[in-house]
Amino acid sequence: MDSQTEKIPFIRFLYADAEGVRRIYDADWPDQFIAYFSDKEVTKIGGFFMMGMPLQVKTLDDAFKICKG
């Protein structure tokens, strides 16, 4: 396998966007995640993973708090 297929993203976020379309967002750094979602509308959260571990979040604010430490 090449290094791209072996890499686990630092953050993986499963969500539905403003139109209800399911999406997956991967980020290498918490700051990237915060910057990307600061002005986005999320209608549903399917999962939030940090370093491959599932974390319980109900809102984007919950995810932001985890990212900020």
Side-chain angles (χ1 to χ4, degrees), residues 5-58:
T5 58
E6 294 176 8
K7 183 180 177 187
I8 296 173
F10 186 75
I11 293 174
R12 172 161 281 175
F13 186 52
L14 311 174
Y15 69 101
D17 65 15
E19 290 84 37
V21 177
R22 293 181 195 172
R23 306 231 182 245
I24 298 172
Y25 177 81
D26 291 338
D28 290 326
W29 299 104
D31 290 343
Q32 285 177 312
F33 176 83
I34 292 168
Y36 184 81
F37 283 100
S38 290
D39 62 351
K40 302 271 190 244
E41 182 182 345
V42 171
T43 58
K44 185 170 183 169
I45 295 174
F48 183 81
F49 302 83
M50 189 172 278
M51 295 175 40
M53 300 294 296
L55 300 172
Q56 185 175 2
V57 297
K58 294 183 180 183

